[in-house]
Amino acid sequence: MNNELRVEKGSRCRLCGGQVEESIDFGPQPVSNAFILPTEVGGEPFFRLALGLCLSCGMAQLLDEVPRERMFHEDYPYRSSGSAFMRKHFEEVALSLVEEELTGPDDLLVEIGSNDGIMLKAVAEAGVRHLGVDASRSAVEVATAKGVRSRVDFFEESTAAAIRAAEGPAKVVFSANTFSHIAYIDSVFRGLDLLLAPDGVFVFEDRYLGDIIEHNYFDQVYDEHFYLFAVRSVQIMAARFGFELVDVEPLRVHGGAMRYKLARPGARRPSAAVSEFVDKEARLGLADPATFRRFAAGISRTRDELLAVLTDLRAGGHSVVGYGATSKSATVTNFCGIGSSLVSFVCDTTPEKQGRLTPGSHIPVMPPEAFSDPYPDYALLFAWNHADEIMAKERRFREQGGRWILYVPDVHIV
Ligand code: SAH
Ligand code: TYD
Ligand code: ZN
């Protein structure tokens, strides 16, 4: 049997219009954050998850686009503030933007994808003028309760025009883990052009393609991550839409991310880091077909090994539960074929996910208290990006003989 992922040729690049020469097909997948009620089993929509790579501009992108209203809506359950590590990260981001960029008395910061206010909370507390824009009403309500000004909307050209008319120009537009979710970048850039002050900056951070490929983070590929950015592709994107990439900074969040700063051409001198990363990506062959094919081969290997480990453990009578009902786990469970016979339940702190089933794979989601009641023999860590925080919090699990199963960068038990 050939278990290799199908690598096929396909479609046009959403950035440069070139041919997307390489792609990895993960097969049919559900919407990654569509946690369903037991009564809803059988009614889920599936789409084809396929990651393509444009060899001309280096932009990695999905070949099929899930309509945005299907992903982000009233019931979108993702809440950013579930991790203490991420809360600290975004507080630092907020304070550095306030200190370095928002120095005028009336400067405005707009955030795209502000979710539960994890970043804007500290901006609001510093008394700085701000506005969050997020497509999920329930997430915005949590932000509002924290004193964060935000509106329910998809950011695009018309939203930017409305904000500009009501609030004036923005000194900073910030976005974390959201710009990659928006397939229609041309409208977003027209919006940024309308909204940003002449000396304003667009700062965004997102998972970094270099880390994803280097560490085999294949589960970062899911419906919401329409683009997987690299420094070179962002540089090309900025130039194409009338901006300039002036700084980049690698980040330790989500297993490896990058912060990009864009300004109007000539407004700021690009830092040396930009060309250093562009050179490094070229040296490593990040946008080479051979690199992409190695990534595909590593994904097939991980799937086979993970399935073998789980099947053996269950056959040996061991109990296995999942930890962290992440968006990433939708790709892992559906692509690898992991259901509740292999992983009995997944525990997660998000109330909006508890009592529901994981999309497509239908594993029950339970509150974290279920983890120790009684402890399982093994725990599959879907939230591997929070390994330090979770393993510290669940220290007793290991002390009494439990073991963690990790599947990145390869399948191993600790
Ligand atoms: N910035 C947060 C949230 C990321 S999740 C963090 O880094 O943790 C992505 C968020 O973007 C969701 O809350 C979703 O509702 C929102 N979103 C998705 N597309 C959007 C768009 N076009 N405009 C505004 N918000 C959007
Ligand atoms: P996240 O890492 O943002 O993953 P993704 O972007 O793939 O959705 O989400 C982490 C998930 O793990 C979230 O649902 C909350 C949960 N979680 C816990 O249950 N316990 C914890 O201690 C932490 C840090 C997260
Ligand atoms: Zn391209």
Side-chain angles (χ1 to χ4, degrees), residues 116-137:
D116 60 5
I118 188 168
M119 196 285 284
L120 285 179
K121 181 170 178 286
V123 176
E125 284 166 3
V128 171
R129 211 153 65 86
H130 65 275
L131 181 67
V133 183
D134 198 288
S136 163
R137 181 175 302 280

Side-chain angles (χ1 to χ4, degrees), residues 126-202:
V128 171
R129 211 153 65 86
H130 65 275
L131 181 67
V133 183
D134 198 288
S136 163
R137 181 175 302 280
S138 49
V140 162
E141 280 166 6
V142 179
T144 308
K146 293 175 183 165
V148 168
R149 256 186 94 215
S150 30
R151 63 187 265 167
V152 184
D153 237 326
F154 284 100
F155 187 90
E156 57 192 336
E157 187 178 3
S158 58
T159 327
I163 296 172
R164 169 70 211 238
E167 316 269 343
K171 190 73 190 300
V172 177
V173 176
F174 177 79
S175 190
N177 308 303
T178 302
F179 193 47
S180 59
H181 298 31
I182 309 179
Y184 46 96
I185 38 179
D186 44 349
S187 171
V188 172
F189 273 106
R190 285 196 300 273
L192 289 170
D193 191 31
L194 289 173
L195 184 56
L196 274 178
D199 60 343
V201 284
F202 173 45

Side-chain angles (χ1 to χ4, degrees), residues 33 35 76-80 82-86 207 219-220 222 224-225 254 323-329 347-350 353 366 368 382-386 389-390 393-394:
N33 265 296
F35 291 84
Y76 182 65
Y78 184 79
R79 298 290 177 267
S80 302
S83 155
F85 177 67
M86 293 308 292
R207 277 87 165 162
D219 55 350
Q220 292 289 13
Y222 55 88
E224 295 178 13
H225 292 170
H254 290 296
Y323 205 109
T326 57
S327 326
K328 296 183 285 293
S329 69
C347 50
D348 193 286
T349 47
T350 316
K353 296 179 184 175
M366 312 271 275
F382 289 121
W384 49 261
N385 47 311
H386 300 297
E389 183 173 342
I390 290 173
K393 173 155 83 180
E394 301 288 1

